[in-house]
Amino acid sequence: MNKNAKFMMKMGAIGIAVFLVYLAIPKINVVQSAVQLELERYEYYIPLEILETYVLEDSELYIQNNLGFRKIAMDEPFALENDTTLKIVQKTNFYKSEAITFEIKAIDTIPPIIVSDDSVVLGGGINLRDILNVQVLDYRYGEFDFELKNPSIDFVSIILGNFEYIINSEDLAGNIITKTIQIEVVPYTIKQSELSKIDIWVNQARILPEDFVPELVAMDATYSLNHETFLLQEPVRNAFDLLTEALFSDLELELYIENAYLSFESAVTSPEYQSGLSLDVVNNDEVDFKDTQQYQWLMEHAHEHGFILRYPEGKESVTGYPYNPQTLRYVGQEVASYLYQNELTFDEYKLMNLK
């Protein structure tokens, strides 16, 4: 047998021996697995605390960033701002190792907080949003310092008393928070700049200054069943003259005045009489005024002369006063016609047009 043949046989024997050794040696297997976790956004976490059940003595930890994975210590805190991935690489025994990937979903379950006064004193006819300081703050990095859009606030009352108003707010994750504000509605004294307006808004919650006296003129004594002299502002007197003339022209009926201007001290039933723009009317019969032809005519024609029925039936919760078919208020023809056409009370009109 030549040398080449012997060499080939020797190499073959070595190859067989190596193959048999390979078969006899245990293989090292790498096992891949993934775990899904949900953790609160904007918190700091220590990996060892949240992965404790998965960690072995020789485990290595990696955290994903924009460049791939970066090795970090098991006790190195990390901030969870967005979804992120952690990976543990470790040997489980001599021939087996594993890599566990942790897909962490950053969730936000903590509602924001509403910072405001718990209770307020609110003047009648003033919108709560004009006096209440409100701030909505969201949770971020352990502090409420991420400002959100402030909630919409819209509360106005012309009814005196105590009320509750609930503020609602929702953060970017859909968490909802509510806060109840205690409100005490008290009389608001109308400012000087409004006192000369024909459409001045007066009610139990919006009162005229005690010393306010408008420019007044005397009504003809024939308007009184008892020949009293009543006072009103001049535009009201002129408009009332035209109104009574039109009433007589249509129905040949008279209309008389029972109340007109009253001083602050005397206007106990309604502060509006102090304006010189309101009056109570009556006919010369004993019949309830609401059942008279004069009343029916006023319902249809008062607005043509700038007057409204101040306290209509069914609107007591809006006006704050009982139904009174006898009280007229002069607001000018334009406003009166608008209220008539839209079936609004004067208070509803003013509330709609608050700035």
Side-chain angles (χ1 to χ4, degrees):
M1 185 178 295
N2 59 36
K3 291 182 179 182
N4 287 337
K6 289 181 178 181
F7 177 76
M8 293 299 295
M9 290 180 63
K10 185 176 179 179
M11 293 302 294
I14 293 173
I16 293 171
V18 171
F19 178 70
L20 292 174
V21 170
Y22 170 77
L23 292 177
I25 295 176
K27 308 301 184 296
I28 298 177
N29 297 316
V30 178
V31 179
Q32 299 280 350
S33 61
V35 177
Q36 305 292 323
L37 296 176
E38 288 187 347
L39 296 176
E40 192 69 36
R41 188 189 299 269
Y42 305 134
E43 293 281 4
Y44 278 90
Y45 295 94
I46 297 176
L48 186 59
E49 293 179 355
I50 60 174
L51 307 176
E52 184 176 4
T53 57
Y54 300 92
V55 174
L56 301 178
E57 185 175 350
D58 63 347
S59 297
E60 294 182 341
L61 178 65
Y62 299 84
I63 188 169
Q64 192 175 41
N65 56 29
N66 293 334
L67 301 177
F69 281 92
R70 173 178 68 87
K71 186 176 181 181
I72 62 173
M74 287 290 179
D75 59 356
E76 180 182 338
F78 69 95
L80 183 63
E81 190 161 350
N82 298 303
D83 294 352
T84 193
T85 302
L86 297 176
K87 181 181 287 188
I88 288 179
V89 178
Q90 57 196 9
K91 285 186 178 181
T92 56
N93 54 45
F94 174 73
Y95 62 89
K96 184 178 179 181
S97 64
E98 66 178 356
I100 308 174
T101 300
F102 299 88
E103 300 291 344
I104 300 177
K105 181 175 179 60
I107 60 174
D108 182 359
T109 64
I110 301 176
I113 62 169
I114 297 174
V115 180
S116 71
D117 294 328
D118 296 327
S119 61
V120 296
V121 176
L122 184 65
I126 303 298
N127 201 309
L128 179 63
R129 64 171 174 254
D130 294 331
I131 70 163
L132 185 67
N133 293 319
V134 178
Q135 189 177 21
V136 179
L137 305 173
D138 200 9
Y139 192 68
R140 185 178 176 88
Y141 296 127
E143 297 179 4
F144 287 92
D145 61 1
F146 183 69
E147 187 173 353
L148 298 178
K149 182 180 179 181
N150 287 337
S152 175
I153 297 174
D154 188 13
F155 175 87
V156 185
S157 178
I158 58 170
I159 309 297
L160 302 178
N162 296 301
F163 303 86
E164 289 186 346
Y165 184 77
I166 298 176
I167 299 175
N168 298 287
S169 184
E170 183 176 350
D171 66 15
L172 302 178
N175 299 304
I176 297 174
I177 187 69
T178 64
K179 181 172 182 177
T180 301
I181 306 296
Q182 303 294 329
I183 302 171
E184 180 185 2
V185 178
V186 299
Y188 167 81
T189 301
I190 299 170
K191 295 180 180 179
Q192 183 70 33
S193 58
E194 299 181 60
L195 297 180
S196 62
K197 296 180 179 179
I198 287 296
D199 66 343
I200 186 172
W201 187 23
V202 186
N203 49 51
Q204 61 170 297
R206 286 178 51 87
I207 61 175
L208 295 161
E210 291 188 30
D211 59 353
F212 172 70
V213 179
E215 293 186 11
L216 299 166
V217 294
M219 300 295 292
D220 193 302
T222 58
Y223 281 128
S224 170
L225 289 173
N226 299 318
H227 300 287
E228 297 178 63
T229 299
F230 291 105
L231 302 176
L232 288 168
Q233 291 197 40
E234 187 173 6
V236 187
R237 183 194 65 180
N238 297 339
F240 191 74
D241 287 339
L242 295 175
L243 179 144
T244 54
E245 289 173 8
L247 170 64
F248 190 82
S249 175
D250 288 349
L251 302 179
E252 294 187 355
L253 293 174
E254 303 283 355
L255 194 64
Y256 300 93
I257 299 175
E258 189 174 57
N259 277 312
Y261 167 77
L262 295 173
S263 66
F264 180 88
E265 293 77 14
S266 302
V268 291
T269 57
S270 169
E272 199 154 31
Y273 293 111
Q274 187 189 356
S275 69
L277 300 169
S278 284
L279 65 157
D280 287 345
V281 293
V282 69
N283 69 337
N284 56 356
D285 298 325
E286 297 297 327
V287 182
D288 285 344
F289 189 73
K290 66 182 178 62
D291 296 323
T292 64
Q293 294 183 64
Q294 287 94 326
Y295 175 68
Q296 295 302 320
W297 186 90
L298 288 172
M299 290 277 287
E300 298 177 10
H301 300 285
H303 67 280
E304 298 169 0
H305 304 278
F307 288 94
I308 61 171
L309 298 173
R310 185 63 179 90
Y311 307 119
E313 190 172 15
K315 295 289 188 174
E316 293 84 355
S317 62
V318 178
T319 64
Y321 289 95
Y323 163 56
N324 187 341
Q326 296 175 251
T327 302
L328 298 181
R329 162 66 199 271
Y330 184 75
V331 293
Q333 190 173 358
E334 181 179 352
V335 173
S337 296
Y338 181 85
L339 300 183
Y340 175 80
Q341 293 163 8
N342 292 277
E343 299 182 349
L344 293 172
T345 66
F346 188 47
D347 296 298
E348 289 171 320
Y349 166 76
K350 284 294 188 178
L351 288 168
M352 287 171 50
N353 288 279
L354 281 178
K355 292 182 180 179

